[in-house]
Amino acid sequence: MKRAGFTTVWLPVALLLPQLSIIAIFFYWPAGWAVQSSFYLQDPFGFGSTFVGLDNYTDLGRNTEYLRIAWFTVIYTCLVTFFSLAIALLLAVKADKVIRGARTYRTLLMWVYAVAPPVAGFMGIMFFDQRTGPITDLFQTVGSDFKLGVNYTDTATAMVIAAVWKQIPVNFIFFLSGLQSIPKSVNEAAIIDNRSATGRFWQVTFPLLAPTTFFLLIINITYALFDTFGIIDTLLKGEPGNNPMTLVYKVFLDGFRGNDLGGSSAQSVILMVLVLILTVFQFRLIERRIHYT
Amino acid sequence: MTGISDTFTQSKKHVARRPIKWSVVGDHAVLVAGVLLMVLPVFMVFATSSHDRIEIARTGLQFGFSDQLGVNYGKAMFEKGGFTDTVDGSLMLMNSMILGFGFAIGKIIISMMAAYAIVYFRLRFATLAFWIIFTTLLLPLEVRILPSYEAIQSLGMANTYSGLIIPLIASATGTFFFRQFFRSVPEELVEAARIDGAGPVKFFIDILVPLSRTMIAAIFIIMFVFGWNQYLWPTMITTEESMFTLVRGIKQITQGVVDSNDIPEYGQALALSIIAIIPPVLIVLFFQNWFVKGLTESDK
């Protein structure tokens, strides 16, 4: 709040009202409803529901399929986060270094940000097509028979590649802006101390980028968990079968296709807790954001 | 005279001929590889969208162009499709525009108002309001998708534009962004405005809004792209085909490509994907600097 704020009472209330009412109707009500129905067992034909306490949660804990999906989500998130961060960092370092064409490179590397995830998924279908896909051909030349939608690992690979491709631009933009905010004098001083460019990068530049990297880590985990839904749904062509999927996709499947309201709500609540932990972590990070300069 | 100019250019050439720095060449090679990685897939989709469906079915994605560009894009834009034969590309394009603009504008207005109230007024429950709003950052729509759908259903807002747009606005990203920006506006400004007799409404409209122009532009671009690219929510809330957005329509297209017994309309499907990509990409490209600013400053 500003020190010299206005003291009118009705105006701020009126200003806050639209946002607060939207949040109440479309956020708190649904969220509360999810928590509540996670304790109930819904009749499959829609005739009422019975209170079952924590049964929905314990069922999930015993459900091997759910645990398998959870485990896959962890691996998937790690892979997507690692590769999209690593590739973006490499490109950002190079784009920061070159003098000629730096702006053109920046433009060409970042515009994929605007491509919608399901479009990326559809492109994946074309590229990983069993007969004609260029990437399938590529795999064939190394002797691997790539079968999207049939083979578990192959489908997972396609999902990771599409998700990484889509996420590189965001990471690139943040890394580049992080690199550009490092003062020139620091780099010059480092050049005097250490002649090896690689050594300079790991000892000086990378630690200076730590705040950006931590921030991006959270962003990427959230992206892999939630925003890749469009990619996964298109790549699986709406036929999950035995294919790999993430926890969010499972919530959607159980709730909409399987009509398991209680189980789906319990899964939602588990995800809510997960995001809560991530966000608290993120806020603490922003508060304590390390500034070297 | 010619001799002099000759020797001049020669000496210039001599100066310019420095030893090639292989590290610089390597940097450029990495960047070019990166650019190819990002650009080539979309380019191939674009090139292939100019081919005949039979050819695409036989040989897959192409590097070169063919002569079916107009035909495919014409079909994608104006040929009615879907189960009810009511939806074509131009209608989906319009729906996407409504979603993109409606979401971005609605979000900016609502979050600016809320942020103004939180930052500039001495309000007893300001902190409470702040926390009520910021809790929403914790739960992305994907997590509470089922109950949100139920809420929309019971309000009778399924298959309406307001049902499509308003629930998406219910997150605090915009408010958070404007709050940070307003806090960085110098305190003296509001003091001076009050001395000059400006009320809160006048200060907001005549001083604060013009001052936030760049911020508004930046957040508009991000929000437009975000709204345009929404997938899960439109998939659930729009069951009538006349309400489909382009990104939502992609699912229908892929379904068609997978299910059809005939040779699928690859060309048309790829053309529609390109149409779905173009508007947000153009906005990001044209307003690059604002976009980057908005993206990288929203995290502070």
Side-chain angles (χ1 to χ4, degrees):
Chain A
M1 203 190 356
K2 295 267 175 185
R3 220 168 356 98
F6 296 102
T7 43
T8 335
V9 175
W10 60 269
L11 187 68
V13 175
L15 286 170
L16 277 169
L17 208 60
Q19 170 114 53
L20 288 179
S21 48
I22 289 179
I23 287 178
I25 298 170
F26 298 110
F27 184 85
Y28 282 103
W29 181 26
W33 190 85
V35 174
Q36 191 205 348
S37 53
S38 73
F39 296 116
Y40 283 83
L41 187 66
Q42 215 85 19
D43 186 283
F45 301 103
F47 303 117
S49 49
T50 36
F51 183 78
V52 291
L54 288 170
D55 278 10
N56 286 323
Y57 293 96
T58 49
D59 280 354
L60 283 178
R62 277 197 296 266
N63 187 335
T64 46
E65 196 204 348
Y66 185 76
L67 294 177
R68 188 169 116 124
I69 292 171
W71 184 231
F72 173 76
T73 309
V74 172
I75 296 172
Y76 171 79
T77 307
C78 290
L79 287 175
V80 171
T81 306
F82 174 76
F83 281 109
S84 57
L85 280 176
I87 297 172
L89 179 59
L90 174 70
L91 291 172
V93 168
K94 299 296 179 193
D96 185 47
K97 224 159 112 193
V98 297
I99 299 151
R100 252 168 236 237
R103 230 189 117 76
T104 317
Y105 283 128
R106 193 187 81 163
T107 309
L108 289 171
L109 285 169
M110 72 176 209
W111 63 276
V112 167
Y113 172 85
V115 173
V119 176
F122 180 53
M123 289 169 62
I125 288 184
M126 296 302 289
F127 274 90
F128 293 103
D129 189 276
Q130 238 179 76
R131 281 185 310 111
T132 60
I135 302 185
T136 316
D137 292 347
L138 215 66
F139 274 106
Q140 237 140 29
T141 54
V142 279
S144 150
D145 199 12
F146 198 90
K147 286 198 173 81
L148 176 69
V150 180
N151 184 308
Y152 188 88
T153 330
D154 290 351
T155 315
T157 311
M159 276 162 59
V160 170
I161 292 177
V164 167
W165 181 76
K166 175 76 190 71
Q167 186 65 2
I168 289 173
V170 182
N171 295 339
F172 172 76
I173 293 167
F174 275 101
F175 273 135
L176 188 61
S177 108
L179 284 167
Q180 282 168 349
S181 68
I182 295 176
K184 270 216 142 32
S185 52
V186 173
N187 280 326
E188 282 157 6
I191 290 174
I192 298 171
D193 285 345
N194 192 341
R195 281 187 56 82
S196 145
T198 327
R200 276 204 308 273
F201 174 77
W202 290 113
Q203 282 159 21
V204 180
T205 317
F206 192 68
L208 282 171
L209 273 181
T212 314
T213 313
F214 279 129
F215 170 77
L216 281 177
L217 210 58
I218 306 276
I219 293 280
N220 280 270
I221 292 172
T222 323
Y223 162 81
L225 284 176
F226 303 110
D227 299 340
T228 53
F229 179 89
I231 295 177
I232 295 168
D233 193 33
T234 349
L235 267 180
L236 297 183
K237 303 163 185 170
E239 293 163 6
N242 272 327
N243 282 317
M245 65 178 93
T246 57
L247 288 170
V248 169
Y249 197 75
K250 177 83 175 142
V251 172
F252 169 78
L253 268 190
D254 285 359
F256 278 86
R257 301 264 184 87
N259 266 328
D260 176 14
L261 222 55
S264 176
S265 300
Q267 292 179 32
S268 286
V269 174
I270 291 174
L271 283 178
M272 287 184 201
V273 174
L274 200 67
V275 187
L276 194 83
I277 295 169
L278 275 177
T279 316
V280 168
F281 194 64
Q282 183 181 0
F283 268 121
R284 294 193 53 146
L285 218 71
I286 291 174
E287 266 172 31
R288 285 200 260 157
R289 216 166 148 163
I290 323 141
H291 289 286
Y292 293 98
T293 49
Chain B
M1 281 304 263
T2 49
I4 290 171
S5 77
D6 271 348
T7 47
F8 180 68
T9 47
Q10 260 176 14
S11 70
K12 208 175 160 191
K13 254 184 206 161
H14 189 72
V15 172
R17 201 186 293 141
R18 277 172 302 182
I20 301 170
K21 278 193 178 167
W22 287 107
S23 71
V24 176
V25 176
D27 292 347
H28 282 278
V30 170
L31 284 168
V32 169
V35 167
L36 283 180
L37 172 72
M38 299 319 283
V39 177
L40 201 60
V42 182
F43 172 79
M44 282 175 77
V45 167
F46 180 51
T48 314
S49 71
S50 70
H51 283 261
D52 184 39
R53 62 175 174 156
I54 298 166
E55 204 184 327
I56 302 171
R58 216 178 43 227
T59 52
L61 290 168
Q62 312 284 332
F63 284 101
F65 286 90
S66 179
D67 54 353
Q68 298 290 308
L69 196 73
V71 181
N72 283 333
Y73 281 81
K75 266 196 207 161
M77 281 302 274
F78 303 113
E79 195 178 69
K80 305 257 189 246
F83 296 116
T84 50
D85 270 349
T86 48
V87 64
D88 60 7
S90 50
L91 184 67
M92 290 198 274
L93 185 67
M94 194 192 75
N95 286 335
S96 283
M97 285 289 177
I98 292 174
L99 175 58
F101 279 103
F103 171 70
I105 294 169
K107 181 127 186 163
I108 286 171
I109 292 174
I110 283 180
S111 51
M112 264 188 108
M113 279 164 49
Y116 181 56
I118 291 173
V119 175
Y120 279 96
F121 289 87
R122 284 196 193 144
L123 210 58
R124 209 170 297 143
F125 59 90
T127 324
L128 179 68
F130 175 83
W131 281 110
I132 289 176
I133 293 172
F134 288 104
T135 319
T136 61
L137 281 177
L138 305 181
L139 301 180
L141 190 64
E142 283 84 356
V143 173
R144 54 193 161 86
I145 195 86
L146 196 67
S148 303
Y149 173 75
E150 297 282 335
I152 286 289
Q153 275 284 335
S154 56
L155 291 170
M157 281 165 77
N159 286 311
T160 60
Y161 289 120
S162 47
L164 196 59
I165 295 169
I166 296 173
L168 290 174
I169 297 179
S171 105
T173 44
T175 318
F176 196 63
F177 187 84
F178 281 115
R179 173 178 168 267
Q180 299 302 93
F181 175 69
F182 288 162
R183 278 156 61 118
S184 72
V185 171
E187 195 106 6
E188 291 74 24
L189 218 60
V190 67
E191 281 164 9
R194 289 181 73 180
I195 291 167
D196 286 347
V201 178
K202 196 169 172 53
F203 173 73
F204 183 56
I205 292 171
D206 286 349
I207 297 173
L208 207 56
V209 172
L211 208 65
S212 330
R213 265 195 314 238
T214 338
M215 286 294 134
I216 294 173
I219 203 160
F220 177 86
I221 295 160
I222 291 167
M223 291 304 162
F224 178 83
V225 175
F226 182 84
W228 181 282
N229 285 347
Q230 278 303 306
Y231 175 68
L232 180 55
W233 185 243
T235 304
M236 294 185 16
I237 215 66
T238 60
T239 44
E240 273 171 31
E241 288 182 330
S242 59
M243 290 294 297
F244 278 11
T245 61
L246 279 169
V247 175
R248 161 76 173 94
I250 298 288
K251 182 168 187 170
Q252 232 61 16
I253 304 165
T254 49
Q255 215 73 308
V257 169
V258 176
D259 295 341
S260 72
N261 299 317
D262 193 20
I263 295 169
E265 285 284 357
Y266 278 119
Q268 191 184 341
L270 291 169
L272 210 57
S273 313
I274 294 293
I275 295 170
I277 292 178
I278 288 173
V281 166
L282 284 185
I283 286 195
V284 165
L285 285 183
F286 276 126
F287 305 107
Q288 237 185 85
N289 290 333
W290 283 345
F291 163 70
V292 171
K293 190 180 160 68
L295 203 64
T296 49
E297 286 191 5
S298 58
D299 72 296
K300 284 175 188 149

